[in-house]
Amino acid sequence: MIRPQHEFVFWKFVIAAIVVVSDYVVNGYHLMALHEKIHYLKPGDIMLGGIFTLHWTDTETYSCTQIRPLREIFRVEAMAYAIDEMNKRTDILPGLQLGFQILDDCGTEQSSLAAVLHFVPGDIHKVPDDGCTCPDIERRVDIVGIIGPPLSTNAIPTSKLLNLFHMPQISHAATSDELSNKRIHPYFLRTVPPESQRAQAIVDLLLHFNWTYVFTINSAESYGRNAIDKFTAAAPESICVAEHLELSSELLTDEGFDKVVEKMLNNSNARVVVLFSLTREADRLFSALKRAKAEKIFTFITTDREALDLGQGGHAGSVAGGLFVGSVKTVVSGLNDHFKSLLPEHHIENPWFMEYYNQYLNCSERNNSCNVDFHVQESQTYASGVADAVYAYAFALDKMRRDLCPGNITCEKLKEAARDGDQLLDYLHNDTFIGCNGETRFDSKGDIMAKYPLFVLQYVNDRYELVNVGKVDTNTDTVFIDQPINWNTGNVPPRSRCGEPCGAGQVAAFRQDGCCWDCWTCYHNEIINTNHSGCEKCPSGFWPTSDFTLCEKIKPTYIKWTDGVAICLVTLAIVGEIITIFVCIFYIRHCKHVVIKASSRELSSILLFGIFLSFAMIFGFITQPSQISCLLNRLGFMLCFTIIYAPILARANRIYRIFSAAKRSAKPPPMISPCSQVTQALMCISVQVIINVVWIFLVRPIPLEVMPIRTERRVELYCNITEAEVITSVAYNLLLLILCCLCAFKTRRVPDNYNESRHIAWTVYTVLVIWCAFIPTYFAIKDAVTKVAILSMAVLVNAWVNLVFMFFPKLVTVQRAESVAV
């Protein structure tokens, strides 16, 4: 009978076995029975358990079959070596020896659970005092913590079982994100980052090489499905899956794998494959690729573990050139020499060593897979996770020793306290240990953060090797490539996208499949919208930047002082003003001369002022438009014409009336005095002033920025002179000009010695021709800069014509008269 003090523990064990293990335990014990006497045991004061996957399993007979790759035995030796190194140190657990017991789970959940039952707390396996005996119970050892198993599919159920007994577990290779859930797996830790980080690393890799159209393949079990789910969750919308394929060796025949390869070959745009698969399914996939003679067509992105398995399985040629995100690992110092020192003639405690030696290391015998350099070189890097797990336990136990027995080197209390799983777990979480990758600690989820090494399987020195070509930092989403890569497509990375990247100013129009796209070019005045789904017009006066993502304000165009047209106009204006000033001075000096007096000095002064103002207006037209310049331009533009035409009209009208009245009587007509003439001229000018003032009040003078053609990068800056204002002023000045022409025409028969009317006729006829050319040209041209240039030319020509025809003849006459007098 079981004593009462053992009853609770006993039933706890029974319930755990029924609920968690179920029928797996039956099959697991069958497997363990075959290896009951095959375990790696080294006694110690504090014992650690190890669960490793050293053999394959026959699922029909539940028996362990052939051995797995050499790295598995390397991991076993890494645990033994790391514990031996800790025992040699005097600063870690002085006076105490760490021991271990290692079991082989053959890669199945059943045998992993059965192995865990060997490691549950020792109270269950104690022999009752009443003499009751249980089979094989004497062989049990008290374990404080477990290292392993390596497979996530086995780590998940074993973690759930160990939770019932509050026993810490550190896996060196299980990467499933499910194990980060501390509500379900509170006692699970690991020395490798979770799969989500590796999935993010693969996403960073795809984005780095612009592989946006890929196949995804996973094996039909929890590892493959969880890994592909994490990849899908981490992948942004820019990465599109051409087709998702799931492999199952139990459901698919060779013909089924051939159809999978056929699907891959039919899609010529996707040439990169993201693979998360167990070795068995991946091996059959690559065999199908070989049958289809498509070994060099696809570039595989997967983990270094899978790449190494495929390379050792005879598929190195197909896998070579792919990129493999490695585990966070490094070489354990001294382990390589230790492993090479293990020879059959020495006493080898490891019960599985001879199997591996005959398969991988004994090159004196037949063995096609024997390649010592390849297997040992590649396998040693997988041991750091195991060594780090040993170091984590050792440092945590040593910290517990210092807290329990401060100041004492030896601590007997530690042996009993270490069996408290909750207390040991707290030390594991809160303590920092010096591992193979330096100072390391677990986060709140029991995970570690690190940078992933990046490998390529390449043919080097007559053999295939995993070559480290860079790393992926998931903290910054950065890929570092520091070594050349021999791609299976040549010297350039393969192309795997469903369409060429759209250039600047183009948007992708996706087809019905949601993956492939065509590029559509936006108009010149459009930018790409925020979600890159279409084009948006820039507001008037704005233009897209070089990358077509923002609209920037267009610098307005206007005549500048440095422009060639402006220089010519200003030169003519300055020369005209100088000559006008010279004429004024000449008139003042010869104001008593009969010719000057006959031409009406007062009206000539007004006319000279109008000519001078016309030349001055050129500077206003060329100045950058502003509110003040626009006000002055609108006031002076037509006013300068009126100031010129008004005195000419008054003078022509005076001549006409004088000669018309002389035919009838000798009495002079009224209103021909200089004062009357000036009054008439000022009255005509005042009408134009009134017109200008009215329009200024109706339309406030401001500079305008106008984009005449929305699809051209051009904004014009000019004053807001409306066409109605121009027509009104032009109509009035044309009226004055026509009246001048009429008076000049009627006085064409005056005596020959009175040629003043002839000069007026030449002036008004020439100006009328200029106006006939100017008016249609001004209204026909839409370019503001050209309009300003035409306007300036019209003003200049008008001023020069009046200056030449109205004043130069008088200057010549006066000068000749003075010369004759002398």
Side-chain angles (χ1 to χ4, degrees):
M1 289 184 62
I2 300 177
R3 289 189 175 183
Q5 59 264 36
H6 299 290
E7 186 173 356
F8 173 75
V9 179
F10 174 77
W11 285 110
K12 182 179 180 181
F13 169 75
V14 173
I15 293 172
I18 294 174
V19 174
V20 180
V21 222
S22 185
D23 61 321
Y24 290 114
V25 177
V26 178
N27 297 326
Y29 268 124
H30 175 68
L31 282 168
M32 293 306 298
L34 297 176
H35 296 275
E36 186 69 38
K37 296 182 180 179
I38 304 177
H39 57 267
Y40 195 174
L41 177 65
K42 180 178 181 180
D45 300 311
I46 299 175
M47 298 292 292
L48 298 176
I51 302 176
F52 293 86
T53 303
L54 298 163
H55 291 81
W56 295 102
T57 303
D58 187 333
T59 55
E60 294 182 358
T61 63
Y62 292 101
S63 60
C64 296
T65 58
Q66 71 270 24
I67 59 173
R68 289 176 179 259
L70 183 67
R71 67 164 179 264
E72 303 303 334
I73 196 69
F74 219 94
R75 287 171 170 171
V76 171
E77 282 301 320
M79 181 173 176
Y81 177 78
I83 287 178
D84 187 52
E85 289 297 303
M86 287 292 101
N87 288 336
K88 291 178 181 178
R89 294 180 60 168
T90 57
D91 58 328
I92 303 294
L93 299 175
L96 294 173
Q97 292 288 303
L98 290 176
F100 62 83
Q101 183 181 28
I102 299 176
L103 300 176
D104 177 13
D105 68 0
C106 297
T108 67
E109 295 180 31
Q110 299 96 320
S111 56
S112 290
L113 290 168
V116 165
L117 295 178
H118 282 270
F119 297 143
V120 294
D123 288 344
I124 292 179
H125 307 296
K126 283 184 179 180
V127 180
D129 294 339
D130 58 3
C132 176
T133 59
C134 299
D136 300 325
I137 217 165
E138 291 80 9
R139 290 192 295 273
R140 313 285 180 154
V141 294
D142 288 333
I143 301 296
V144 299
I146 292 177
I147 296 175
L151 300 179
S152 296
T153 51
N154 297 346
I156 291 172
T158 56
S159 172
K160 292 177 181 178
L161 180 57
L162 288 170
N163 290 347
L164 299 174
F165 300 97
H166 296 205
M167 179 178 288
Q169 172 189 11
I170 303 178
S171 177
H172 52 279
T175 57
S176 172
D177 285 279
E178 181 181 340
L179 293 164
S180 294
N181 188 339
K182 294 298 104 176
R183 187 175 59 85
I184 301 175
H185 305 280
Y187 293 88
F188 181 85
L189 304 96
R190 52 184 155 195
T191 53
V192 290
E195 198 62 53
S196 59
Q197 291 185 35
R198 193 188 297 249
Q200 183 60 51
I202 291 179
V203 168
D204 294 339
L205 197 60
L206 296 180
L207 293 176
H208 178 79
F209 289 103
N210 196 25
W211 292 329
T212 56
Y213 192 57
V214 299
F215 284 107
T216 56
I217 300 178
N218 68 278
S219 52
E221 39 71 48
S222 61
Y223 161 71
R225 288 169 178 163
N226 289 335
I228 211 68
D229 287 344
K230 293 300 177 183
F231 168 79
T232 304
E237 291 183 359
S238 58
I239 296 179
C240 194
V241 177
E243 189 167 356
H244 172 64
L245 303 169
E246 188 169 89
L247 307 178
S248 173
S249 293
E250 298 177 356
L251 300 178
L252 292 178
T253 61
D254 285 346
E255 184 179 352
F257 277 90
D258 291 337
K259 289 182 179 179
V260 169
V261 172
E262 185 179 354
K263 284 183 180 180
M264 295 167 61
L265 292 173
N266 288 338
N267 194 329
S268 60
N269 290 318
R271 285 296 175 257
V272 170
V273 182
V274 177
L275 177 67
F276 294 104
S277 175
L278 297 181
T279 307
R280 184 184 306 136
E281 283 75 11
D283 180 78
R284 294 187 65 184
L285 173 65
F286 279 89
S287 297
L289 285 170
K290 236 177 220 184
R291 291 193 295 270
K293 297 181 180 179
E295 299 98 323
K296 294 292 184 180
I297 293 180
F298 297 98
T299 299
F300 285 85
I301 310 298
T302 184
T303 65
D304 56 346
R305 181 195 69 187
E306 291 159 357
L308 192 57
D309 285 345
L310 292 167
Q312 294 177 351
H315 301 296
S318 301
V319 184
L323 288 175
F324 313 114
V325 177
S327 302
V328 181
K329 54 187 182 285
T330 187
V331 176
V332 180
S333 177
L335 178 60
N336 193 28
D337 294 335
H338 164 77
F339 192 80
K340 288 182 178 180
S341 68
L342 300 177
L343 297 174
E345 56 266 25
H346 298 163
H347 176 67
I348 304 301
E349 297 177 347
N350 189 331
W352 303 286
F353 178 77
M354 287 306 300
E355 282 186 89
Y356 277 88
Y357 180 84
N358 292 330
Q359 177 68 22
Y360 294 106
L361 306 176
N362 187 10
C363 294
S364 62
E365 299 182 5
R366 66 44 37 270
N367 208 315
N368 294 332
S369 63
C370 179
N371 186 336
V372 174
D373 289 334
F374 178 79
H375 295 308
V376 174
Q377 292 281 340
E378 300 302 330
S379 297
Q380 62 176 320
T381 57
Y382 284 83
S384 61
V386 179
D388 280 346
V390 172
Y391 300 151
Y393 276 120
F395 276 81
L397 290 168
D398 188 64
K399 181 66 166 57
M400 186 186 294
R401 175 192 65 82
R402 292 197 302 269
D403 291 344
L404 290 174
C405 307
N408 295 332
I409 296 179
T410 60
C411 185
E412 292 296 327
K413 297 179 183 179
L414 180 62
K415 296 180 182 179
E416 186 64 28
R419 296 173 60 187
D420 184 348
D422 292 302
Q423 188 176 3
L424 179 57
L425 182 68
D426 288 338
Y427 278 96
L428 287 169
H429 271 294
N430 299 321
D431 192 32
T432 299
F433 65 93
I434 306 301
C436 299
N437 294 289
E439 191 173 276
T440 309
R441 70 180 300 143
F442 299 105
D443 63 15
S444 60
K445 295 181 180 180
D447 301 328
I448 61 170
M449 295 286 291
K451 297 176 182 178
Y452 286 90
L454 191 60
F455 295 95
V456 177
L457 190 64
Q458 293 183 349
Y459 195 70
V460 180
N461 299 327
D462 299 327
R463 65 176 180 267
Y464 283 100
E465 292 183 1
L466 276 178
V467 179
N468 191 332
V469 295
K471 61 185 176 182
V472 183
D473 188 350
T474 55
N475 293 321
T476 58
D477 294 328
T478 308
V479 177
F480 302 93
I481 303 295
D482 50 27
Q483 295 293 331
I485 300 174
N486 296 328
W487 303 99
N488 56 11
T489 54
N491 295 326
V492 295
R495 177 186 176 278
S496 187
R497 52 181 178 267
C498 196
E500 291 298 326
C502 294
Q506 292 183 324
V507 294
F510 285 90
R511 301 172 192 168
Q512 291 183 349
D513 60 4
C515 287
C516 300
W517 68 89
D518 298 305
C519 292
W520 294 86
T521 303
C522 298
Y523 286 109
H524 296 304
N525 63 329
E526 293 179 332
I527 61 171
I528 302 171
N529 58 16
T530 53
N531 59 3
H532 295 266
S533 61
C535 305
E536 292 181 358
K537 285 186 178 180
C538 287
S540 180
F542 289 79
W543 197 258
T545 56
S546 58
D547 58 359
F548 290 85
T549 57
L550 295 172
C551 292
E552 60 181 1
K553 188 174 178 60
I554 303 173
K555 290 184 178 180
T557 301
Y558 55 91
I559 290 183
K560 298 179 177 62
W561 295 101
T562 55
D563 293 344
V565 174
I567 292 173
C568 293
L569 294 173
V570 169
T571 301
L572 290 173
I574 292 174
V575 172
E577 287 191 331
I578 292 173
I579 294 175
T580 303
I581 293 171
F582 171 77
V583 171
C584 288
I585 295 172
F586 186 89
Y587 259 59
I588 293 171
R589 287 185 59 188
H590 300 86
C591 62
K592 302 297 183 180
H593 197 281
V594 62
V595 175
I596 302 299
K597 292 173 68 176
S599 63
S600 181
R601 291 171 295 184
E602 293 79 7
L603 292 179
S604 295
S605 298
I606 297 174
L607 181 58
L608 282 172
F609 174 72
I611 293 172
F612 186 87
L613 181 62
S614 297
F615 288 130
M617 287 302 300
I618 303 303
F619 299 96
F621 292 150
I622 296 176
T623 301
Q624 179 178 347
S626 64
Q627 192 167 4
I628 295 177
S629 66
C630 288
L631 174 63
L632 296 177
N633 288 343
R634 286 178 58 179
L635 283 173
F637 169 44
M638 284 300 174
L639 188 61
C640 67
F641 288 113
T642 307
I643 294 174
I644 291 175
Y645 300 149
I648 292 176
L649 177 60
R651 183 181 298 179
N653 182 53
R654 176 175 176 270
I655 295 172
Y656 168 71
R657 287 194 302 115
I658 289 174
F659 283 99
S660 295
K663 293 178 181 180
R664 296 189 299 270
S665 66
K667 183 180 179 180
M671 303 290 292
I672 60 172
S673 66
C675 184
S676 299
Q677 296 294 302
V678 171
T679 302
Q680 293 174 23
L682 291 177
M683 288 178 65
C684 292
I685 293 172
S686 64
V687 174
Q688 181 62 50
V689 172
I690 292 171
I691 292 173
N692 287 353
V693 171
V694 170
W695 276 109
I696 285 174
F697 276 103
L698 291 176
V699 182
R700 296 287 181 180
I702 56 172
L704 294 178
E705 291 185 6
V706 177
M707 195 173 185
I709 303 176
R710 289 296 302 273
T711 55
E712 291 185 5
R713 186 189 176 99
R714 180 179 176 83
V715 169
E716 297 174 344
L717 179 64
Y718 59 89
C719 295
N720 61 333
I721 303 177
T722 64
E723 290 186 355
E725 180 181 358
V726 173
I727 291 172
T728 305
S729 297
V730 167
Y732 177 68
N733 282 275
L734 273 176
L735 176 63
L736 297 180
L737 190 60
I738 291 171
L739 291 175
C740 289
C741 289
L742 183 62
C743 292
F745 178 77
K746 288 185 176 184
T747 57
R748 67 187 183 280
R749 299 186 184 277
V750 297
D752 292 340
N753 62 344
Y754 193 84
N755 52 15
E756 176 73 10
S757 62
R758 190 177 299 112
H759 297 158
I760 294 174
W762 290 346
T763 301
V764 295
Y765 293 158
T766 304
V767 171
L768 188 61
V769 172
I770 294 171
W771 275 90
C772 290
F774 162 73
I775 293 174
T777 303
Y778 180 84
F779 287 104
I781 292 176
K782 299 302 180 183
D783 183 76
V785 174
T786 307
K787 272 190 173 184
V788 172
I790 294 295
L791 189 66
S792 301
M793 288 300 299
V795 172
L796 280 174
V797 172
N798 179 74
W800 275 104
V801 167
N802 282 275
L803 186 62
V804 171
F805 288 148
M806 296 299 294
F807 292 97
F808 277 15
K810 295 180 179 61
L811 266 64
V812 172
T813 302
V814 172
Q815 190 63 35
R816 282 179 180 176
E818 288 185 350
S819 298
V820 170
V822 173

